[in-house]
């Protein structure tokens, strides 16, 4: 699974990497220890708010990490849906509609994972050259406690897809995020692709990521710690 990650790139960096056409909302500060329910930047393709019939444009916008299905009674369920198994997103009620129409990318410098070793959990940071484009799904949830004219009534949320870890990483944890290579990012984001069979084909075409792991300090265990030192190899 992916339960913590680092995301320190500026909006301008992400705009260049992902060819962003429209940036929505305030920039999110760099974080070396992103945790569930926090606000993160995500990349998606969607028609402009005031032109619903216009062609979709690639956006950089903020979302809450932990997907809240449209049918949820409250936002609490999001804390349990920070990840989605890529093998079942086209079947599970929580993810099926988003898999068809609301796919996204969650940018990261890398992510943390804990290896069970001698009765302890040892943290590692896994990364590669450049930005990790973690495949995700996003959703919009209407907060019933807010008024119709309240712009904050719509909550954007996101989940990160996972798949079985490659042999090289499986000793650390049995699952890892689905990482999109540059040549598959446009297809993954394309809102015109809505057939769930085509989505399954997209997932099948994504190669195993080549990630470099190294051990880091247990300081990352606490979400209160958030500094560049968390990325220093032990």
């Amino acid at each position: 699974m992916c339960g913590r990650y680092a995301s320190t790139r500026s909006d301008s960096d992400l705009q260049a990497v992902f060819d962003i056409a429209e940036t929505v909302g305030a920039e999110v500060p760099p974080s070396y220890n992103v945790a569930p329910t926090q606000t993160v930047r995500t990349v998606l393709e969607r028609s402009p708010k005031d032109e619903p019939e216009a062609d979709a444009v690639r956006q950089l916008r903020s979302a809450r990490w932990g997907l809240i299905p449209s049918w949820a009674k409250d936002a609490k369920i999001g804390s349990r849906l920070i990840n989605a198994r890529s093998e079942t997103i086209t079947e599970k009620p929580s993810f099926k509609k988003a898999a068809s129409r609301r796919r996204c990318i969650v940018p990261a410098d890398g992510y943390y994972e804990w290896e069970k070793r001698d009765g302890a959990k040892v943290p590692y940071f896994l990364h590669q050259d450049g930005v990790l484009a973690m495949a995700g799904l996003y959703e919009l949830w209407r907060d019933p406690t807010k008024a119709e004219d309240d712009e904050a009534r719509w909550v954007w949320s996101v989940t990160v897809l996972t798949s079985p870890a490659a042999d090289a990483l499986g000793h650390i944890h049995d699952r890892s995020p689905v990482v999109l290579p540059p040549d598959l990012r446009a297809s993954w984001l394309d809102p015109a692709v809505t057939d769930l069979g085509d989505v399954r084909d997209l997932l099948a075409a994504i190669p195993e990521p080549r990630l470099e792991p190294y051990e880091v300090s247990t300081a990352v265990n606490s979400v209160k710690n958030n500094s560049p030192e968390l990325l220093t190899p032990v």
Side-chain angles (χ1 to χ4, degrees):
M1 64 175 293
C2 174
R4 300 278 186 81
Y5 68 94
S7 181
T8 66
R9 311 294 175 122
S10 66
D11 276 4
S12 59
D13 290 338
L14 297 177
Q15 288 161 0
V17 171
F18 294 104
D19 195 22
I20 300 297
E22 181 180 26
T23 299
V24 182
E27 186 162 4
V28 176
S31 177
Y32 297 87
N33 198 2
V34 182
T37 75
Q38 293 181 350
T39 299
V40 301
R41 278 308 213 186
T42 185
V43 178
L44 54 94
E45 291 190 3
R46 192 175 177 89
S47 298
K49 179 180 178 182
D50 299 326
E51 302 176 70
E53 301 304 319
D55 291 339
V57 297
R58 189 166 296 184
Q59 300 179 344
L60 178 67
R61 64 161 63 234
S62 296
R64 170 177 162 152
W65 186 17
L67 190 128
I68 309 170
S70 60
W71 42 261
K73 293 182 179 179
D74 58 51
K76 294 179 181 178
I77 190 174
S79 62
R80 304 197 303 272
L81 300 179
I82 62 169
N83 293 153
R85 287 178 172 257
S86 59
E87 306 97 306
T88 57
I89 59 168
T90 60
E91 303 166 8
K92 296 289 187 181
S94 297
F95 307 117
K96 189 174 181 179
K97 288 185 178 180
S100 171
R101 300 181 180 276
R102 289 179 288 278
R103 297 180 301 277
C104 65
I105 290 172
V106 180
D109 299 349
Y111 70 99
Y112 300 99
E113 196 54 85
W114 282 259
E115 177 189 19
K116 294 181 180 179
R117 188 199 303 167
D118 300 328
K121 291 185 176 180
V122 180
Y124 283 79
F125 185 68
L126 298 94
H127 68 106
Q128 63 183 22
D129 290 338
V131 179
L132 285 187
M134 300 190 296
L137 307 175
Y138 74 95
E139 191 58 270
L140 285 82
W141 176 72
R142 170 71 167 84
D143 187 341
T145 67
K146 297 187 183 298
E148 284 290 336
D149 59 353
D150 188 343
E151 291 187 359
R153 70 188 185 282
W154 288 104
V155 179
W156 293 68
S157 61
V158 65
T159 189
V160 174
L161 303 194
T162 67
S163 63
D167 289 344
L169 305 176
H171 71 284
I172 299 175
H173 196 275
D174 62 351
R175 299 192 69 81
S176 65
V178 175
V179 178
L180 292 159
D183 62 319
L184 293 180
R185 294 172 187 174
S187 297
W188 179 254
L189 294 176
D190 187 355
V193 177
T194 59
D195 182 83
L196 291 175
D198 292 339
V199 175
R200 287 190 286 270
D201 289 342
L202 278 174
L203 288 167
I206 299 171
E208 293 180 349
R210 295 184 177 181
L211 303 176
E212 294 293 332
Y214 61 81
E215 188 177 337
V216 294
S217 166
T218 54
V220 73
N221 294 356
S222 172
V223 297
K224 295 180 180 179
N225 297 324
N226 193 339
S227 67
E229 288 73 28
L230 295 181
L231 300 183
T232 302
V234 170

